[in-house]
Amino acid sequence: MDVRDYLPRDATALAAAVKAGETSAAELLQLALTQNERAQPRTNAVCRLMEREARAQLAKPASGPFTGVPFLIKDCAQDYAGLPTAYGSKALSGVVAAEHAAVVRRYLEAGLVIFGKTNLPELALKGVSDSRALGRVSNPWNGAHTPGGSSGGAAAAVASGIVPMAAGNDGGGSIRIPAACCGLFGLKPSRGLVSSGPGFGEYWFGASCEGVVSRSVRDTALALDVIAGAEPGDPFLVAEPGVVFANVMTRDPGKLRIGTTTVSPIGTEVHAEAKLAVENAVKLLQGLGHEVEEAKPDIDGAVLATSFLHIYFGQVAALVSEARAKGARREEFELLTRVLSTLGGAISAGALTTQLLKWNGFARALARFHARYDMLLTPTLAHPPVRHGEGDPSSAEQTLLDMLDRIGLLGLLTRWGVLDGMIDKIARDSLQYVPFTQLANLTGTPAMSVPLHWTADGLPLGVQFVGRLGDEARLLQLARQLEQAQPWFERLPEWVRAD
C-alpha cells in the first residue's frame, strides 16, 4: 500500500485491509509517519511522536475492530503510562502518567496503534490552538488560519491525511469547533457515556467528555462502540446504549422535526457564511424529507455563558493550584492561564455553586424544546476559521494584566470589581466566535458538527446538531444520511493529495 491507497480509506477500511492481508500494521504505521513528515512543517499538529511505543505495540498480538490502524491521542486528560500529559503547557511537561486513562486503554484494546500526541492550547482553554510551549497549530486548508481548539492538533492531523481519525475531548466545543474548522465530522457524546477515569470522575463537573474527530461517520460510530461504558469507581452508572452504534447508524432516521436558529445566544455578530451554512443545511434536510422551522430553546444565552465561564475560570484555578503543588512555577504558565486562574480563585464557593445549580434549568428548558423537536440546528461557529491572533486581547490589555498579576493586585482588584469591564470584554471576546457549543456541554446532551459547507475562500465551516440526551444513535443516523446525500470524505486540501 502507498499513500494513494492510504488516503482514500477511513479507519474502518484500513482495519479491513489489515484483516484481509492486503497490508500490515507496520506498513500503515510507516505511511502515517511519512505523511506526518510532510504535514508537520505546515500544521505543527503533532506535539509528541511515540514511534518507539507504537513499534512496541506492533510486537504484541492485537485484536479488535481497529486492529493495525494508526492513531493519535490528545495531550490532555488522555494519559499514556510512562509519558507526560502536558496539556500544552511547559509547567506540566514533567508530570508523567502512572497508568493509562481508561479511554486510552480502550483505544489500545481496539487495536489502534498510538504513535503520537496532538497539539492544543495551554490547558485546553481556547477555541484556537496556540500553545506558547508547543507553537501554534495551523489549518491544513489555509495555514494563516486556526484549525480551532482545543482539539486543534487532532483535527489538523486528520485533515492533513496523517490519520483518518484522532482522539479529542470536548468541554465547551473542543471536538466540534476544530471539526467545523477542518472539514471533519465531530461528535460530542452524552455526559457519562464515556468514562473520564481513573484520573477524573466528572471532568469539568461533567461538562467535558471524550470522543474523536474523523473523516467518516462510520469511524466515529465504531469508535463510540469501543469507548462507551463505565469504569469501576465512576461517579454514576450510565445506562448501556442498548445498541451497536456501528450497526444502528446505517438505519434511516425517519422524518425528523428540527428547530433551527442562527442568532448568537450572547448577542454577538454571526458571519454571513455561518448563516449560509445553516440555510444550505436546511434546504438539504428539507430535500431529504425532514421538517425544519425557526425555533430555539427558551434559554438566556448570556446567563448560560456566564455560568460556563464561572466553571471555566474555577477549573483553571484548580488545575494551576494542583500543578504548583507538584512543583510547577506560576510564571511557567501563559498570561491568559495566570489571569484565568486568578479570576477563578476570586470566585467564592457560593458563587460557583449558584452557577452550577443553573445547569438544571438549562437542561429542563432544552428537554422541553426536545419534546417538540428531535434536534436543534445551529452554526457550529459564528465565524469562519479565524486568522492567527484574531480576537486576542490587545497589547495594552495584556501588558496591564501581566503587570497586575505579577505584583499581586489582579486578584484584589477583581474582588473589588474594578476590572469587571475588562474581564467581561475578554470573556465576551473569547466566546464571540464560538457561542453555540457550550449549551450541549452544560446540559450533557450529545451534539455533532457536520462538514456541509465551505466558504467562498475555501475554508470549511460545519453546522451543529444538538440531540436529546442519550440519543447518539439518531444523530449518527442523520449524519450518515447527510454524508450520503452530500459526501465530504474525498474533500482534502490540495497539497495533501499532491505526490
Side-chain angles (χ1 to χ4, degrees), residues 391-443:
D392 287 352
S394 68
S395 297
E397 289 170 336
Q398 292 185 51
T399 299
L400 174 59
L401 289 169
D402 185 42
M403 179 190 70
L404 293 173
D405 179 65
R406 288 182 184 279
I407 63 177
L409 279 179
L410 184 60
L412 183 61
L413 293 176
T414 300
R415 290 184 180 91
W416 288 349
V418 175
L419 300 179
D420 284 356
M422 179 183 291
I423 292 166
D424 287 346
K425 179 180 182 300
I426 292 172
R428 186 179 177 84
D429 287 350
S430 72
L431 295 180
Q432 64 175 315
Y433 300 127
V434 291
F436 296 101
T437 52
Q438 296 80 35
L439 171 64
N441 296 92
L442 298 199
T443 57

Side-chain angles (χ1 to χ4, degrees), residues 43-63:
T43 65
N44 192 34
V46 178
C47 62
R48 177 184 291 273
L49 272 178
M50 298 165 53
E51 185 175 351
R52 181 176 65 84
E53 289 79 6
R55 297 204 181 278
Q57 291 175 52
L58 297 183
K60 301 174 183 177
S63 62

Side-chain angles (χ1 to χ4, degrees), residues 301-359:
V303 173
L304 187 141
T306 298
S307 182
F308 172 77
L309 290 170
H310 270 74
I311 65 119
Y312 176 74
F313 295 164
Q315 290 290 324
V316 177
L319 283 170
V320 169
S321 178
E322 182 181 4
R324 294 191 69 189
K326 295 178 180 178
R329 300 193 309 273
R330 183 174 174 81
E331 59 269 23
E332 290 180 305
F333 288 101
E334 296 175 19
L335 172 61
L336 177 62
T337 303
R338 288 186 276 119
V339 169
L340 295 181
S341 174
T342 300
L343 298 182
I347 297 171
S348 71
L352 178 58
T353 301
T354 296
Q355 294 300 328
L356 288 170
L357 290 174
K358 292 179 181 179
W359 291 19

Side-chain angles (χ1 to χ4, degrees), residues 19 57 63 71 100-101 104 121 129 165 208 234 280 306 318 341 400 424-425 436 449 452 463:
K19 184 177 181 180
Q57 291 175 52
S63 62
F71 193 64
H100 292 328
V104 170
S129 298
M165 175 181 76
S208 186
D234 281 355
N280 290 339
T306 298
S341 174
L400 174 59
D424 287 346
K425 179 180 182 300
F436 296 101
S449 182
L452 295 179
V463 296

